[in-house]
Amino acid sequence: MGFSSLCLTFVSMYILSIFVLFHLVVANSLQSYTTACHDDEISALLQFKQSFVINTSASGYKGAYPKTASWNSAWNQTSNCCSWDGVECDENTGHVIGLNLSSSYLYGFINPNNSLFRLVHLQSLNLADNDFNYSQVPTSIRNFPKLRYLNLSCSVFSGVVPFEISQLSELSSLDLSENPDLTGYFPKFNASSSPLMSLKLSFTSFLINLSSLIEDFDSLKELHVSECNISESPLPFSLGNLRHLTYLDLSSNNFNGQIPSFLKNLTQLTYLSLFGNNFHGSIPSYLGNLTQLTYLDLYDDNNLSGTVEFHMFHKLQNLTYLDLSENKLEVLTKSRFLNNATALPKFEYLRLGWCDIREFPNFLRSQQTLQTLDLSGNKLQGIVPKWMLNTSTQTLTKLNISHNSLSGFEQSPAVVPWVNLRWLDLSFNMLRELSPSPSTSILYYAISNNKLTGQVSSLICNLTYLAYLDLSNNKLSGILPQCFGNFSTMKYLNLGKKFI
Ligand SMILES: *[C@@H]1O[C@H](CO)[C@@H](O)[C@H](O)[C@H]1NC(C)=O
Ligand SMILES: *[C@@H]1O[C@H](CO)[C@@H](O)[C@H](O)[C@H]1NC(C)=O
Ligand SMILES: *[C@@H]1O[C@H](CO)[C@@H](O)[C@H](O)[C@H]1NC(C)=O
Ligand SMILES: *[C@@H]1O[C@H](CO)[C@@H](O)[C@H](O)[C@H]1NC(C)=O
Ligand SMILES: *[C@@H]1O[C@H](CO)[C@@H](O)[C@H](O)[C@H]1NC(C)=O
Ligand SMILES: *[C@@H]1O[C@H](CO)[C@@H](O)[C@H](O)[C@H]1NC(C)=O
Ligand SMILES: *[C@@H]1O[C@H](CO)[C@@H](O)[C@H](O)[C@H]1NC(C)=O
Ligand SMILES: *[C@@H]1O[C@H](CO)[C@@H](O)[C@H](O)[C@H]1NC(C)=O
Ligand SMILES: *[C@@H]1O[C@H](CO)[C@@H](O)[C@H](O)[C@H]1NC(C)=O
Ligand SMILES: *[C@@H]1O[C@H](CO)[C@@H](O)[C@H](O)[C@H]1NC(C)=O
Ligand SMILES: *[C@@H]1O[C@H](CO)[C@@H](O)[C@H](O)[C@H]1NC(C)=O
Ligand SMILES: *[C@@H]1O[C@H](CO)[C@@H](O)[C@H](O)[C@H]1NC(C)=O
């Protein structure tokens, strides 16, 4: 596996960042600098540039390019480093205060004596998504007493993070995530004087002895500690004093025990992800009091059990993302409170897979903003009710009702009503008819392991974007429509034995 594959976040941000890049370029060319930059800083930047090779394997993000390549080494009186790509100067003093060389194909060691550390006025430093070849984070970081923003994510650092980083008394945002070889104890910050607001340590290997570090961090708003190699253990810290916390990601760590009760105190939370742990017990009712939540993920690998009155989420009026899938929960959706359309959040992403649900939840009637709906692995039986076909007709892109006991649609139109549907999984049911047909927008269509009989309708020829089609384990027969030879987009096709 190449290193760049670890940095998937960059790839998915590609489109957005093209847009951002465009704006940066425009903004840069309009800016004129009255103050020239200082000679010593120009030479520090040029020496920094010389200390690395440009290596296109060093950055994973598709919009990466070598920002330092345009830095002009034939500098003279009129060349101004303040207009160089990624360099920001103070307008009054001309000192370099910002350096953003994220995704710049930089490859090589960064030593404590690197000329970078002569840029003592830096307030912002972004070296994310490069390859520093397992360098240690240099102790000379202490040369930047004014640093507020430091981003070294996904750039192949290793070893212990130096104590000096905790002495940066202005630091408010620190991102060391996606450096899996960072190890050891994370240095202790002074919680009462540090202005740290955002701490991102996801996908590192720090022994999370964060307890003493973060417990009293009044200023902290964002904490990302996903995939930190924590082996099975109860949560080693309480965050109940972090009253300003808005973003908490503890996912994929193997924490066990109950869902931590300190969450009760975190009433400002908008984002809470606990997925991929091994939490036991029931979903505590106080989660229903965290009224600012927009995102709540309790998916997978957790062993949560007991019954959940879906009505418990009615106070979370801003909740758009909810995932309770793949636990051992019994989700009850028949409460009379749920008949009141105004009483539930407007979901965009709702996953209730394997939740022991026995009927299509009535509250879905009034959900008109769903993009993803997952009801797979439940105990739905009989027909898909007519009203389901009026739910989120404009917005739904992904529907999964596989692994139930559905036998058909109450009123089967020729084509499903979800005009933007891309993903439809109906497999492992008891469907008898290959109808309704997915809308033409479909990319993924699975209806294997049902009781389909008869011929494949030529309507399937209208699905011109289809990339994945699984019709296997049915009783289809007859002649395939001719178009099957012409699907140019198809990547996976399984028609079952009868046809082959
Ligand atoms: C480019 O970087 C990769 C690691 O990211 C390394 O394996 C490779 O040897 C480098 N190539 C050159 C020419 O330095
Ligand atoms: C200074 O460098 C710029 C390019 O950065 C070049 O266009 C200009 O001619 C140079 N001026 C002198 C006096 O050499
Ligand atoms: C750094 O530059 C990248 C483009 O290369 C941009 O997307 C990002 O927003 C910039 N970050 C900061 C903190 O300026
Ligand atoms: C990267 O590290 C390897 C192993 O220590 C070394 O052989 C290689 O020269 C280094 N490459 C650069 C560009 O620093
Ligand atoms: C910088 O430090 C490295 C080792 O840390 C050393 O090999 C190199 O000679 C030093 N360079 C300068 C210019 O002092
Ligand atoms: C650090 O940089 C990466 C890559 O540009 C970006 O995805 C991430 O959001 C940045 N972190 C912070 C805290 O800005
Ligand atoms: C932490 O900061 C406070 C306030 O500035 C100061 O009084 C205290 O001595 C510091 N503690 C340590 C251990 O440096
Ligand atoms: C919740 O906050 C109170 C202070 O308001 C504190 O005494 C208590 O210990 C906190 N609870 C937890 C579980 O941290
Ligand atoms: C939720 O908040 C209400 C009103 O503030 C309070 O009465 C109730 O006890 C809280 N429920 C839980 C489970 O904390
Ligand atoms: C929902 O979000 C809006 C805008 O961000 C905010 O004003 C409102 O207070 C939030 N609602 C609740 C119930 O927290
Ligand atoms: C529906 O819920 C809203 C908000 O919770 C409430 O104001 C309204 O009275 C309820 N309507 C009925 C018929 O229960
Ligand atoms: C399928 O495509 C044909 C020809 O392009 C068109 O006449 C027909 O209306 C389409 N059927 C549906 C259900 O979209």
Side-chain angles (χ1 to χ4, degrees):
M1 186 169 73
F3 180 81
S4 56
S5 63
L6 295 177
C7 307
L8 287 176
T9 38
F10 301 111
V11 178
S12 60
M13 281 165 45
Y14 181 47
I15 305 219
L16 174 68
S17 46
I18 295 224
F19 181 74
V20 174
L21 270 181
F22 173 76
H23 280 264
L24 283 183
V25 171
V26 173
N28 252 352
S29 56
L30 292 180
Q31 217 161 347
S32 67
Y33 285 91
T34 44
T35 324
C37 53
H38 297 250
D39 287 354
D40 55 333
E41 296 186 344
I42 295 177
S43 79
L45 285 168
L46 290 172
Q47 281 174 42
F48 172 82
K49 170 183 173 174
Q50 296 307 323
S51 58
F52 302 100
V53 293
I54 299 296
N55 177 332
T56 52
S57 322
S59 303
Y61 164 53
K62 277 192 201 159
Y65 67 98
K67 290 185 190 172
T68 57
S70 61
W71 293 5
N72 190 354
S73 53
W75 56 278
N76 57 33
Q77 294 298 315
T78 62
S79 90
N80 191 341
C81 75
C82 299
S83 60
W84 290 356
D85 205 354
V87 179
E88 189 197 345
C89 294
D90 181 297
E91 278 177 39
N92 298 316
T93 64
H95 286 302
V96 175
I97 55 169
L99 198 55
N100 180 356
L101 298 174
S102 67
S103 303
S104 296
Y105 295 145
L106 299 176
Y107 176 57
F109 297 123
I110 183 160
N111 294 317
N113 58 8
N114 190 290
S115 61
L116 172 72
F117 301 105
R118 303 207 303 261
L119 300 172
V120 295
H121 301 279
L122 275 188
Q123 297 171 14
S124 170
L125 176 60
N126 188 349
L127 298 175
D129 190 29
N130 290 292
D131 185 344
F132 295 106
N133 205 5
Y134 303 96
S135 299
Q136 299 225 310
V137 176
T139 52
S140 342
I141 202 87
R142 67 170 166 264
N143 293 6
F144 304 141
K146 294 181 180 146
L147 208 59
R148 292 187 203 147
Y149 176 94
L150 179 59
N151 192 342
L152 304 179
S153 74
C154 201
S155 40
V156 200
F157 282 100
S158 70
V160 176
V161 171
F163 158 79
E164 280 78 0
I165 216 164
S166 67
Q167 303 299 296
L168 299 172
S169 62
E170 306 281 316
L171 197 61
S172 75
S173 173
L174 175 59
D175 191 346
L176 299 174
S177 57
E178 300 195 67
N179 287 295
D181 293 287
L182 285 178
T183 58
Y185 284 93
F186 194 76
K188 185 166 164 48
F189 281 64
N190 185 339
S192 58
S193 61
S194 159
L196 202 60
M197 288 203 303
S198 167
L199 183 57
K200 300 193 177 185
L201 301 176
S202 292
F203 205 1
T204 60
S205 303
F206 293 116
L207 288 178
I208 295 281
N209 183 10
L210 283 172
S211 345
S212 56
L213 169 66
I214 47 184
E215 268 173 1
D216 298 317
F217 242 116
D218 205 31
S219 58
L220 213 57
K221 286 190 169 163
E222 284 194 33
L223 180 62
H224 303 233
V225 284
S226 165
E227 287 192 70
C228 286
N229 254 346
I230 297 162
S231 53
E232 191 98 349
S233 67
L235 212 62
F237 44 73
S238 163
L239 304 176
N241 289 327
L242 308 187
R243 310 218 146 239
H244 300 111
L245 213 56
T246 60
Y247 191 111
L248 180 58
D249 186 354
L250 297 171
S251 63
S252 301
N253 277 310
N254 242 343
F255 290 128
N256 64 18
Q258 306 256 321
I259 288 186
S261 63
F262 65 70
L263 292 172
K264 200 184 306 185
N265 273 8
L266 306 184
T267 55
Q268 302 299 306
L269 280 184
T270 60
Y271 183 108
L272 177 60
S273 180
L274 302 178
F275 93 81
N277 282 295
N278 196 15
F279 288 119
H280 295 272
S282 55
I283 294 187
S285 54
Y286 55 76
L287 288 187
N289 268 357
L290 303 180
T291 54
Q292 304 297 316
L293 281 180
T294 60
Y295 186 108
L296 177 59
D297 194 348
L298 301 174
Y299 165 72
D300 194 28
D301 288 351
N302 288 312
N303 273 309
L304 299 172
S305 55
T307 56
V308 179
E309 270 293 354
F310 198 75
H311 177 243
M312 73 170 281
F313 300 109
H314 84 282
K315 278 197 231 166
L316 314 187
Q317 284 299 314
N318 285 346
L319 194 65
T320 56
Y321 185 112
L322 177 64
D323 195 340
L324 303 178
S325 298
E326 297 186 34
N327 285 287
K328 298 180 177 121
L329 296 167
E330 183 184 3
V331 176
L332 304 177
T333 59
K334 288 177 81 170
S335 155
R336 65 191 167 84
F337 299 109
L338 290 173
N339 293 331
N340 182 346
T342 52
L344 273 179
K346 295 178 177 57
F347 292 107
E348 289 168 12
Y349 187 107
L350 183 60
R351 290 194 64 196
L352 300 173
W354 310 89
C355 283
D356 211 19
I357 296 172
R358 287 142 203 270
E359 275 176 33
F360 278 90
N362 214 19
F363 73 84
L364 291 175
R365 285 176 194 259
S366 52
Q367 293 288 320
Q368 293 303 338
T369 49
L370 286 170
Q371 292 167 23
T372 289
L373 177 62
D374 183 352
L375 294 171
S376 63
N378 282 296
K379 296 187 172 146
L380 304 174
Q381 38 180 298
I383 48 180
V384 179
K386 191 170 64 178
W387 59 258
M388 262 304 286
L389 302 177
N390 290 329
T391 291
S392 300
T393 50
Q394 299 303 308
T395 53
L396 199 67
T397 58
K398 185 167 175 177
L399 177 63
N400 186 353
I401 47 177
S402 66
H403 298 270
N404 282 290
S405 305
L406 296 164
S407 57
F409 286 72
E410 180 174 359
Q411 204 175 60
S412 184
V415 179
V416 299
W418 301 290
V419 292
N420 290 309
L421 200 66
R422 284 160 189 276
W423 215 94
L424 178 61
D425 194 344
L426 302 173
S427 56
F428 294 93
N429 276 293
M430 297 159 74
L431 299 170
R432 294 170 189 282
E433 281 183 58
L434 197 53
S435 167
S437 162
S439 34
T440 50
S441 54
I442 204 83
L443 300 178
Y444 177 108
Y445 181 33
I447 189 168
S448 68
N449 296 281
N450 277 284
K451 302 195 162 168
L452 304 177
T453 54
Q455 282 184 241
V456 178
S457 142
S458 62
L459 271 180
I460 211 151
C461 300
N462 285 22
L463 309 180
T464 47
Y465 299 106
L466 203 57
Y468 181 107
L469 176 64
D470 193 348
L471 299 172
S472 62
N473 290 319
N474 281 295
K475 298 195 174 109
L476 292 163
S477 58
I479 302 164
L480 284 175
Q482 282 202 322
C483 64
F484 265 86
N486 313 340
F487 275 119
S488 56
T489 48
M490 193 74 77
K491 298 218 168 70
Y492 177 94
L493 179 63
N494 189 348
L495 302 171
K497 290 192 189 110
K498 282 275 161 57
F499 284 106
I500 301 167

